[in-house]
Each structure stands twice: as structure tokens, then as C-alpha cells.
Amino acid sequence: MVAKKYILAVPNFSEGRRKDVIEAIVAEVKDREGVKLVSYEPEHDFNRTVVTIVGEPEPLKEALIAMAGKSYELIDMREQEGTHPRIGAQDTIPIFPLRNISLKECVQLAEEIGKELFEKYKVPIYFSAENARTKDKKSISYIRKGQYEGLKALLEDSNHPDYDNRKPDLSVEGKLSEKSGATIVSADMEGLTAYNVFLATEDVNIAKEIAKAVRGPSGGFSTVRAVGIKFPEREGVVVSMNMFDCASTPLYRTFELVKQEAKKYGVAVTGSELVGPVKLDYLLNNLEYYLGLQGLRRDQILESHLME
């Protein structure tokens, strides 16, 4: 019996407020043979929705292309605004090997997704991570610099000194789509884990200072990106993190650093949350740390046998 191959996809689209639009877009990946919708997380302040999907390669590819098509139809980037960086209606489509499939196969599938999206919808495509055409484009933050508005303006001027470096890999005349912007398609070995830590203060500047201490570019962990923000729907402020390697930099390490930095301001940490699913291994290393467990094995978790 040939083992089935499974891929993890964590696409996000630029709508987190209009429930009818969110449901219509997510409906494109529901009830498909060979595809499992794990979760979707609308974020009002960010005005985006993160979707987590597991599937076999071909059915997953079809689902992601259909989802992007619905995003292009229902989201107009000329009207969209939110606190999360974005350049397109279907902003990102990252895929990762999950079981019985190689990174090389995922890279090939990402190529197919990007090319089929462009051929079908004529929306510009950037390839990132392992599919990147240049070293700079391996980073989504580089591609997103200036966001939809700034990137669109830059690409209107073909004489701009950064034009050749910043133009899409697949596009019509090297410009963004007026309505849909562009989509970033990528394959990589590991996906990000979204993790928020809550502070008992309304001073968002404190959260911003702590975020600087945590994120890689300003002296923190090289695999962590962090911002300090206020979620209007809840008390306190938040250090919101994207963690790209929870094996090398576990959740507990960032949590403890946030607590340590917060003490400087006399501020308490009230709790934390994971946004979307997380790998079991990324929880087990926290269990080992806080309980001082030695030699904990994954097969000691009874439910892990059911997953096999």
C-alpha cells in the first residue's frame, strides 16, 4: 500500500471583518475530497483571515486556487485597510511538507499554484521562501515593504531604482492588479506559529518596546518577528509574534522574555494565546521545560498513537 502524501497550507486573505465575505472565501476549501479545513481565524483589527488546511497535493492545489479566485472576486484592495502588512486580496499561499512528502515536491507544487493562478486570473505572483527568484525575495517582509499602496506606486514607475528588484515574478507589464494587488506563493520546511502575549496595561508603547526586545532585527530572537498592538475588543495591549522555528526557539523562551521585559515597566503578563493550530512537538517542549520532565517521548502521549 502506497502511503498518502499530505501538505500543510496556511494561506491568508485580506479580510477579517465582513463575515459573509469570509465565509464565502473559506467555503471554497470546505467539503472537498482529499482536503481538510483545520481552522480559520478572522482578525478584525488586522483585517485578515488566516486559514489552516491539510490535504493531498492535487486536491489541495485545486482548493487553494479556488480560494484565491474567490478572494480576488470579493476583496478590493483599493478599499481594504487594516493593521497587518499586505499586498493583495489573497495575500499569501505558503505550503509545507507534513507527511510522506519532500520539500522538493512542495516547491514544485508551489510553482504550479503560482503559474496557474496567474494564467487563470492574471493577478501578479511573487515567489518566496524556497521558490524565491532572488535572495531578497526569500523574505515576505521584503516583498511586502510599502504594502499594497507603496508597492503599487513604486511599480508605476519603471525608472525607479528598485523597480527591477521589486517587480512581481509573474505579471502583466510589471505592475500590481488595481483591485487584487498580488499574491505571494511559497514552499518552505516549516511554517510560522502565531503567538500573542497579553499585558495588563493600556500603554501600547510598552508593548512596542517589548516587541523590539523580542524580534530578531532589533536584538531578539532571529526566528521571531514581533509587534506591539492594541486589540480594541479586549483589555490591555499585546505583544504579537510570528515564530518561524518553535523547535530552536520554543514558545516558553519568548513568553519568559516578554515577562522579564514587562517587569521593567511594572506591568504584569495576564496570559497568552496561540492563533490557529500548532504542532504537538511545539507544545511538548514547553511541557518539558515547565515541569522539568526528563526523557519525555512523543509516544508517551496516548493520542499520538491514534494519529498514526
Side-chain angles (χ1 to χ4, degrees):
M1 180 178 176
V2 179
K4 287 188 176 183
K5 299 177 179 182
Y6 292 101
I7 292 173
L8 169 68
V10 192
N12 79 66
F13 56 84
S14 298
E15 178 58 64
R17 298 171 183 172
R18 296 179 293 168
K19 185 176 179 180
D20 58 332
V21 171
I22 294 167
E23 294 297 332
I25 294 171
V26 172
E28 295 294 331
V29 301
K30 289 181 176 178
D31 303 320
R32 284 178 177 263
E33 186 76 23
V35 176
K36 168 69 175 178
L37 173 63
V38 178
S39 70
Y40 57 106
E41 309 279 344
E43 297 167 320
H44 184 277
D45 191 46
F46 285 171
N47 199 17
R48 71 159 184 177
T49 295
V50 178
V51 186
T52 303
I53 315 163
V54 172
E56 298 171 56
E58 283 303 315
L60 181 65
K61 180 176 77 171
E62 293 173 8
L64 291 170
I65 290 172
M67 167 185 272
K70 188 60 70 172
S71 295
Y72 302 149
E73 175 189 338
L74 299 180
I75 299 170
D76 190 333
M77 292 304 295
R78 294 168 294 190
E79 301 172 356
Q80 197 271 357
E81 59 181 20
T83 60
H84 198 279
R86 79 286 183 268
I87 61 167
Q90 181 66 53
D91 195 52
T92 64
I93 302 179
I95 64 173
F96 312 93
L98 186 62
R99 180 170 293 181
N100 303 322
I101 193 166
S102 67
L103 175 59
K104 183 178 179 180
E105 290 173 285
C106 288
V107 169
Q108 179 57 41
L109 192 73
E111 292 287 326
E112 294 173 13
I113 291 170
K115 290 172 182 176
E116 289 187 30
L117 280 176
F118 179 66
E119 289 171 5
K120 188 170 185 178
Y121 300 107
K122 297 300 182 239
V123 172
I125 301 295
Y126 286 91
F127 289 106
S128 188
E130 291 298 313
N131 294 84
R133 299 325 195 229
T134 67
K135 183 179 178 181
D136 286 335
K137 285 180 179 176
K138 282 183 173 290
S139 167
I140 286 179
S141 61
Y142 174 82
I143 296 173
R144 279 179 173 158
K145 186 178 180 181
Q147 299 200 52
Y148 165 78
E149 294 83 1
L151 182 58
K152 180 176 177 295
L154 185 156
L155 295 176
E156 293 291 334
D157 178 10
S158 60
N159 294 317
H160 192 286
D162 285 338
Y163 175 81
D164 287 335
N165 294 329
R166 299 294 306 281
K167 69 180 180 181
D169 298 306
L170 302 175
S171 65
V172 176
E173 298 180 346
K175 299 179 181 180
L176 295 190
S177 162
E178 287 280 345
K179 181 185 179 197
S180 301
T183 297
I184 305 169
V185 181
S186 63
D188 212 341
M189 199 63 208
E190 288 282 351
L192 69 84
T193 299
Y195 183 49
N196 296 328
V197 179
F198 300 106
L199 307 177
T201 177
E202 295 298 326
D203 188 346
V204 73
N205 289 319
I206 292 176
K208 290 179 179 179
E209 288 300 314
I210 294 173
K212 285 182 184 178
V214 175
R215 64 177 177 251
S218 51
F221 301 111
S222 62
T223 59
V224 176
R225 298 295 178 266
V227 294
I229 57 175
K230 167 68 181 174
F231 290 156
E233 66 271 18
R234 65 174 296 154
E235 294 181 358
V237 295
V238 186
V239 178
S240 182
M241 293 172 276
N242 285 340
M243 301 183 61
F244 292 91
D245 186 355
C246 289
S248 300
T249 307
L251 293 166
Y252 71 77
R253 201 169 292 163
T254 55
F255 183 65
E256 291 296 329
L257 179 56
V258 171
K259 286 202 298 184
Q260 184 179 357
E261 291 293 315
K263 285 181 181 179
K264 294 195 305 186
Y265 303 96
V267 170
V269 169
T270 60
S272 67
E273 73 170 351
L274 290 161
V275 181
V278 64
K279 288 186 176 181
L280 177 61
D281 289 342
Y282 297 162
L283 299 179
L284 293 183
N285 58 15
N286 292 276
L287 189 64
E288 290 175 307
Y289 175 79
Y290 283 113
L291 296 184
L293 293 175
Q294 298 181 14
L296 176 66
R297 304 188 315 276
R298 200 176 194 273
D299 63 10
Q300 288 178 265
I301 308 299
L302 287 174
E303 284 79 3
S304 69
H305 298 277
L306 295 176
M307 288 187 286
E308 295 299 328

